[in-house]
Amino acid sequence: GGVGKTRLARQAADNLGAQFRDGKAFVALAAVLDFDDVVTTIAGTLGIQLGGQTDAATALVHGLRDREMLLVLDNLE
């Protein structure tokens, strides 16, 4: 830890984000402890509504399906 991986990832995203139709998004996951929270954190960061008839992971996939973006997931261990 502490060698600058997050800073490097952010810089790479800044450099490459314009190549994607919908830009870039950075999702910090350091405080997330279980899978359901990973899904809701990503959805919340991207403004994707979860709910309805499907489970959260499926709803997230549907929300991302038509997007062309660089998605950086930091601390997804």
Side-chain angles (χ1 to χ4, degrees):
V3 298
K5 295 179 297 292
T6 296
R7 185 191 58 75
L8 180 61
R10 285 184 179 270
Q11 184 63 51
D14 286 343
N15 292 345
L16 298 171
Q19 296 178 30
F20 297 86
R21 181 186 70 223
D22 297 311
K24 66 180 180 340
F26 182 88
V27 182
L29 297 170
V32 176
L33 300 176
D34 69 34
F35 179 72
D36 290 334
D37 291 337
V38 169
V39 171
T40 56
T41 301
I42 295 169
T45 301
L46 299 175
I48 296 172
Q49 296 296 317
L50 302 178
Q53 303 289 344
T54 62
D55 64 274
T58 302
L60 177 61
V61 169
H62 286 289
L64 291 171
R65 181 172 292 166
D66 294 329
R67 295 186 188 195
E68 180 187 298
M69 68 180 347
L70 176 60
L71 180 57
V72 178
L73 304 176
D74 190 42
N75 287 300
L76 180 63
E77 268 102 47

